[in-house]
Each structure stands twice: as C-alpha cells, then as structure tokens.
Amino acid sequence: MAREERGTLVLDAALPGDMARAADILRAGGLVAFPTETVYGLGADGLNPDAVRRIFVAKGRPADNPLILHLDGPEMLGRVAQHIPAQAERLMAAFWPGPLTLVLERRPEVPDAVTAGLDTVAVRCPDHPVARELIAEVGRPLAAPSANRSGRPSPTRAEDVLEDLAGRIDAVLDGGPTGLGIESTVLDLTVDPPALLRPGGVPLEDLREFLPRVVAVGEATGPVRSPGMKYAHYAPRAYLVLVEGPEEAVAAEIRRLAAKYRQDGRTVAILAVTGQAYPGETVLRLGPPGHWHEIAASLYRTLRELDRRGIEVALAEGIPRAGLGLAIMDRLERAAREVISTGGTKC
Ligand code: TXA
Ligand code: MG
C-alpha cells in the first residue's frame, strides 16, 4: 500500500504497480509530480485543459506564465509543434534527451492553458528513465513546471515536493534525488536570432557551437543589480544577499556583513562556493571550488535547508558566469533580495 501524506499519495518509481497508478491518475486528469534529470516536475496531461489548469491552482502560479510540454522522444513533437526549423532538428539530435527546452510554433491542438495564449509552445525531452517511461505509459505529452509553490526554490527530492505541495496534488512519484539540480535551458527558435530565455543545464557555450548568433536575453539587457531589488523566484524565506567580485574582496565583504547582521541579533549562514575560510561562521558549502555540477546539484536543496534551520540572513558568494555558472548565478540573483558588487571588476 502506498503511503499518503496530507492526502497526497507517495508512489515509488521502482515499483511497476506504482508507475501504472501514476499513469492512471494522469490519464484521468490528475496531478502527479515526477523526477526529471533537472528538478521534479508537476505533471498533468498536456492536452487536457482542465488538468493543466489544476497545475496553476496547486502551485499558485500566475496564469500568464506558460508551461513546458515533456515528450518521450522527438516523435511526439509533431502532435504539438509545427514548421519545425532545421536548426531544431540539429539541436534535438545533439541535446535530446537532456536539459534543453525549445520554443517552437505551436499546433492549434495545444490548449491555451499550456501556452498562456501564446502562438508558441515550449517542449523538451527529459533524460530520466522514470520521466520517459511515465510519458510513454500515458501516451501523451505531459505539461510540467517545477513542482514547487510559485516563488519557492525548485524541488530536487520527493520530500521537497511534499513540503510545498502535499494536500494540493494527487501524487508524487519518488525516484530519488534529481541529478542535475537546476532547470533546463530555454531557447526560443521562433525569433531571429535565436534567443536564450533562461540559462540552464545546457551551457550557452555548447549552444553557440550550433547557433553562433544566439543572444542571451539576460546577458544582452544586463541583469538589474541594484540593492533592494525584489525577485519573487527560487527564494528561501531567509534574506539572501549575493556578493560578487574578486574572491578575496567577496570574502572580506561577507565577513563584514556576517558580523553586522549578527550584531543586529539575526541568525546568519554563508553559502560558500570558494575555498575561503570563515572562522566561527555557519558555512553551508555548495560544493568544492570549480565543481559546477556539484554546486548546481546542491543549490536548491541548500536554499531549502536555510529555511529548515530557521536562518534569517544568508550571504552567498558569487561565481563566474561561465558554463553552468551562468544558470547558477541567474538563480542566485533571482533568489536574492540584494546583490552587491565589490572590489571593482565583476567576477
Ligand atoms: O528543467 C525544467 O525545465 C523543469 C523540469 C520539470 O522539466 N521545468 C521547469 O518549468 O523549469 P517551469 O514552468 O518552472 O519553467 C518553464 C519556463 C518558464 O520560464 C516559462 O516562462 C518558459 O519556460 N516558457 C514556457 N513556455 C514558453 C513559451 N511558449 N515561450 C516562452 N517561454 C516559455
Ligand atoms: Mg519553476
């Protein structure tokens, strides 16, 4: 018998009976969270508008934010997208299954609830056996945003999903922790030049080998970096300050801020990615310096850990915006209430 938590079934992806049950719930228009190689997704039958609408209610997600359709392979693509450009075929051959989402021209069969009324649709083929098997068993594309309450860090474990959504969704299919830990790269191929809408698991440098003219929207316009700015994304309850610049200057600023906030009576933790020493401080190390995969994999879990420990102020070290670092910094910036550039040159 599967366990229930506050009315949400906890299914085990290793049990064939549980996989079949998850597929049944989805076919009947229910909501099932499932693992992908990036983060857990909150799945619904992507061609059933009522089921898709339930996703927005469960997450508290604004209806104007469209969803990604998850496919079990390029063969399913023709059911949801049309006029697929040759460059899409090349990218799919190179990066699918994997963390690359392509924005393409939609087919009319795709519900407006999925695309938020846009004439485009976002699609990806996840590189996770549980996700692929589930989609194949349902036999339809699954609409799936990250399975967190809107604004919270994305879930990388079934328990993170339950923390946010128990009692609000029918089931979570537990397939263990996700490997990559950060969402897919979102690339819009309906504009010329192609536009990177969200940095993610496939680095921009890898895309450039196929699309030399790709423009990074964030990079092109320059992220807002003023103190006091407020992003409602990926955010822990803790007041997060991101400090960027040369390593020594960042460490010095973080030591100064830690002392200041502690003096104000706040509990402080440091999110560290370099080998800098912070004697006497609570340090949550995201990974060893330069190990970007490990840092990405621990990022959201660590942001949630801050809340579990009741940390009030988190001071995060910035990293170079190269490779996976571009996506990691994007998430840290959006989670931060304040971004401080220190020591002149940016890192
Ligand atoms: O790794 C991922 O992509 C995860 C897993 C579960 O697959 N999913 C995910 O979904 O991160 P979500 O909903 O949290 O983020 C989807 C992003 C949003 O930024 C959304 O605005 C964008 O993709 N998006 C979806 N459809 C779009 C469209 N037609 N045009 C432009 N952007 C779109
Ligand atoms: Mg999300």
Side-chain angles (χ1 to χ4, degrees), residues 297-310:
S298 63
L299 178 64
Y300 290 134
R301 178 166 35 84
T302 308
L303 292 178
R304 284 175 179 267
E305 176 70 19
L306 292 172
D307 291 341
R308 280 190 208 111
R309 292 196 189 195

PDB file of all heavy atoms in Angstrom, residues 297-310:
ATOM      1  N   ALA A 297      23.858  20.912  -8.266  1.00  0.00           N
ATOM      2  CA  ALA A 297      23.046  19.838  -7.680  1.00  0.00           C
ATOM      3  C   ALA A 297      22.646  20.150  -6.240  1.00  0.00           C
ATOM      4  O   ALA A 297      21.619  19.671  -5.768  1.00  0.00           O
ATOM      5  CB  ALA A 297      23.804  18.512  -7.750  1.00  0.00           C
ATOM      6  N   SER A 298      23.454  20.930  -5.524  1.00  0.00           N
ATOM      7  CA  SER A 298      23.136  21.185  -4.111  1.00  0.00           C
ATOM      8  C   SER A 298      22.449  22.529  -3.883  1.00  0.00           C
ATOM      9  O   SER A 298      22.008  22.827  -2.776  1.00  0.00           O
ATOM     10  CB  SER A 298      24.411  21.108  -3.266  1.00  0.00           C
ATOM     11  OG  SER A 298      25.318  22.113  -3.671  1.00  0.00           O
ATOM     12  N   LEU A 299      22.325  23.349  -4.940  1.00  0.00           N
ATOM     13  CA  LEU A 299      21.834  24.724  -4.766  1.00  0.00           C
ATOM     14  C   LEU A 299      20.442  24.800  -4.124  1.00  0.00           C
ATOM     15  O   LEU A 299      20.258  25.409  -3.070  1.00  0.00           O
ATOM     16  CB  LEU A 299      21.840  25.448  -6.116  1.00  0.00           C
ATOM     17  CG  LEU A 299      21.313  26.878  -6.111  1.00  0.00           C
ATOM     18  CD1 LEU A 299      22.200  27.776  -5.263  1.00  0.00           C
ATOM     19  CD2 LEU A 299      21.222  27.434  -7.530  1.00  0.00           C
ATOM     20  N   TYR A 300      19.437  24.181  -4.749  1.00  0.00           N
ATOM     21  CA  TYR A 300      18.064  24.326  -4.248  1.00  0.00           C
ATOM     22  C   TYR A 300      17.877  23.620  -2.907  1.00  0.00           C
ATOM     23  O   TYR A 300      17.149  24.097  -2.042  1.00  0.00           O
ATOM     24  CB  TYR A 300      17.058  23.794  -5.264  1.00  0.00           C
ATOM     25  CG  TYR A 300      16.949  24.646  -6.508  1.00  0.00           C
ATOM     26  CD1 TYR A 300      16.944  24.071  -7.772  1.00  0.00           C
ATOM     27  CD2 TYR A 300      16.840  26.027  -6.413  1.00  0.00           C
ATOM     28  CE1 TYR A 300      16.836  24.850  -8.910  1.00  0.00           C
ATOM     29  CE2 TYR A 300      16.729  26.810  -7.545  1.00  0.00           C
ATOM     30  CZ  TYR A 300      16.729  26.217  -8.793  1.00  0.00           C
ATOM     31  OH  TYR A 300      16.624  26.987  -9.918  1.00  0.00           O
ATOM     32  N   ARG A 301      18.549  22.451  -2.774  1.00  0.00           N
ATOM     33  CA  ARG A 301      18.453  21.724  -1.501  1.00  0.00           C
ATOM     34  C   ARG A 301      18.988  22.623  -0.379  1.00  0.00           C
ATOM     35  O   ARG A 301      18.416  22.702   0.702  1.00  0.00           O
ATOM     36  CB  ARG A 301      19.270  20.427  -1.610  1.00  0.00           C
ATOM     37  CG  ARG A 301      19.282  19.612  -0.363  1.00  0.00           C
ATOM     38  CD  ARG A 301      19.796  18.176  -0.595  1.00  0.00           C
ATOM     39  NE  ARG A 301      20.849  18.009  -1.585  1.00  0.00           N
ATOM     40  CZ  ARG A 301      22.147  18.170  -1.361  1.00  0.00           C
ATOM     41  NH1 ARG A 301      22.574  18.545  -0.173  1.00  0.00           N
ATOM     42  NH2 ARG A 301      23.028  17.980  -2.329  1.00  0.00           N
ATOM     43  N   THR A 302      20.080  23.327  -0.652  1.00  0.00           N
ATOM     44  CA  THR A 302      20.694  24.185   0.368  1.00  0.00           C
ATOM     45  C   THR A 302      19.814  25.398   0.661  1.00  0.00           C
ATOM     46  O   THR A 302      19.689  25.818   1.805  1.00  0.00           O
ATOM     47  CB  THR A 302      22.101  24.613  -0.091  1.00  0.00           C
ATOM     48  OG1 THR A 302      22.823  23.432  -0.461  1.00  0.00           O
ATOM     49  CG2 THR A 302      22.843  25.321   1.012  1.00  0.00           C
ATOM     50  N   LEU A 303      19.176  25.963  -0.363  1.00  0.00           N
ATOM     51  CA  LEU A 303      18.267  27.095  -0.119  1.00  0.00           C
ATOM     52  C   LEU A 303      17.113  26.661   0.788  1.00  0.00           C
ATOM     53  O   LEU A 303      16.689  27.389   1.682  1.00  0.00           O
ATOM     54  CB  LEU A 303      17.731  27.659  -1.441  1.00  0.00           C
ATOM     55  CG  LEU A 303      18.752  28.371  -2.339  1.00  0.00           C
ATOM     56  CD1 LEU A 303      18.100  28.837  -3.635  1.00  0.00           C
ATOM     57  CD2 LEU A 303      19.394  29.567  -1.623  1.00  0.00           C
ATOM     58  N   ARG A 304      16.609  25.436   0.567  1.00  0.00           N
ATOM     59  CA  ARG A 304      15.537  24.927   1.432  1.00  0.00           C
ATOM     60  C   ARG A 304      16.068  24.634   2.836  1.00  0.00           C
ATOM     61  O   ARG A 304      15.353  24.808   3.818  1.00  0.00           O
ATOM     62  CB  ARG A 304      14.913  23.671   0.821  1.00  0.00           C
ATOM     63  CG  ARG A 304      13.987  23.991  -0.330  1.00  0.00           C
ATOM     64  CD  ARG A 304      13.442  22.762  -1.021  1.00  0.00           C
ATOM     65  NE  ARG A 304      12.542  23.179  -2.091  1.00  0.00           N
ATOM     66  CZ  ARG A 304      11.230  23.325  -1.949  1.00  0.00           C
ATOM     67  NH1 ARG A 304      10.649  23.044  -0.804  1.00  0.00           N
ATOM     68  NH2 ARG A 304      10.499  23.725  -2.964  1.00  0.00           N
ATOM     69  N   GLU A 305      17.313  24.185   2.916  1.00  0.00           N
ATOM     70  CA  GLU A 305      17.949  23.883   4.204  1.00  0.00           C
ATOM     71  C   GLU A 305      18.015  25.138   5.098  1.00  0.00           C
ATOM     72  O   GLU A 305      17.849  25.066   6.310  1.00  0.00           O
ATOM     73  CB  GLU A 305      19.350  23.316   3.927  1.00  0.00           C
ATOM     74  CG  GLU A 305      20.215  23.032   5.144  1.00  0.00           C
ATOM     75  CD  GLU A 305      19.719  21.848   5.953  1.00  0.00           C
ATOM     76  OE1 GLU A 305      18.948  21.041   5.410  1.00  0.00           O
ATOM     77  OE2 GLU A 305      20.094  21.763   7.141  1.00  0.00           O
ATOM     78  N   LEU A 306      18.240  26.288   4.456  1.00  0.00           N
ATOM     79  CA  LEU A 306      18.285  27.545   5.209  1.00  0.00           C
ATOM     80  C   LEU A 306      16.995  27.725   5.999  1.00  0.00           C
ATOM     81  O   LEU A 306      16.998  28.098   7.170  1.00  0.00           O
ATOM     82  CB  LEU A 306      18.434  28.740   4.264  1.00  0.00           C
ATOM     83  CG  LEU A 306      19.744  28.897   3.514  1.00  0.00           C
ATOM     84  CD1 LEU A 306      19.605  30.016   2.483  1.00  0.00           C
ATOM     85  CD2 LEU A 306      20.889  29.195   4.478  1.00  0.00           C
ATOM     86  N   ASP A 307      15.876  27.447   5.337  1.00  0.00           N
ATOM     87  CA  ASP A 307      14.574  27.627   5.990  1.00  0.00           C
ATOM     88  C   ASP A 307      14.363  26.596   7.084  1.00  0.00           C
ATOM     89  O   ASP A 307      13.835  26.907   8.138  1.00  0.00           O
ATOM     90  CB  ASP A 307      13.450  27.538   4.957  1.00  0.00           C
ATOM     91  CG  ASP A 307      13.487  28.738   4.017  1.00  0.00           C
ATOM     92  OD1 ASP A 307      14.115  29.746   4.386  1.00  0.00           O
ATOM     93  OD2 ASP A 307      12.899  28.651   2.932  1.00  0.00           O
ATOM     94  N   ARG A 308      14.786  25.349   6.800  1.00  0.00           N
ATOM     95  CA  ARG A 308      14.616  24.308   7.829  1.00  0.00           C
ATOM     96  C   ARG A 308      15.389  24.673   9.081  1.00  0.00           C
ATOM     97  O   ARG A 308      14.981  24.368  10.185  1.00  0.00           O
ATOM     98  CB  ARG A 308      15.073  22.950   7.296  1.00  0.00           C
ATOM     99  CG  ARG A 308      14.014  22.324   6.423  1.00  0.00           C
ATOM    100  CD  ARG A 308      14.311  20.881   6.067  1.00  0.00           C
ATOM    101  NE  ARG A 308      13.677  20.606   4.796  1.00  0.00           N
ATOM    102  CZ  ARG A 308      14.308  20.385   3.666  1.00  0.00           C
ATOM    103  NH1 ARG A 308      15.626  20.346   3.643  1.00  0.00           N
ATOM    104  NH2 ARG A 308      13.644  20.194   2.562  1.00  0.00           N
ATOM    105  N   ARG A 309      16.537  25.316   8.903  1.00  0.00           N
ATOM    106  CA  ARG A 309      17.349  25.689  10.071  1.00  0.00           C
ATOM    107  C   ARG A 309      16.927  27.026  10.679  1.00  0.00           C
ATOM    108  O   ARG A 309      17.532  27.480  11.637  1.00  0.00           O
ATOM    109  CB  ARG A 309      18.811  25.823   9.656  1.00  0.00           C
ATOM    110  CG  ARG A 309      19.470  24.533   9.257  1.00  0.00           C
ATOM    111  CD  ARG A 309      20.948  24.767   9.257  1.00  0.00           C
ATOM    112  NE  ARG A 309      21.681  23.671   8.689  1.00  0.00           N
ATOM    113  CZ  ARG A 309      22.984  23.523   8.847  1.00  0.00           C
ATOM    114  NH1 ARG A 309      23.677  24.407   9.550  1.00  0.00           N
ATOM    115  NH2 ARG A 309      23.611  22.500   8.296  1.00  0.00           N
ATOM    116  N   GLY A 310      15.956  27.683  10.059  1.00  0.00           N
ATOM    117  CA  GLY A 310      15.488  28.969  10.583  1.00  0.00           C
ATOM    118  C   GLY A 310      16.513  30.084  10.439  1.00  0.00           C
ATOM    119  O   GLY A 310      16.530  31.034  11.222  1.00  0.00           O
TER     120      GLY A 310
END
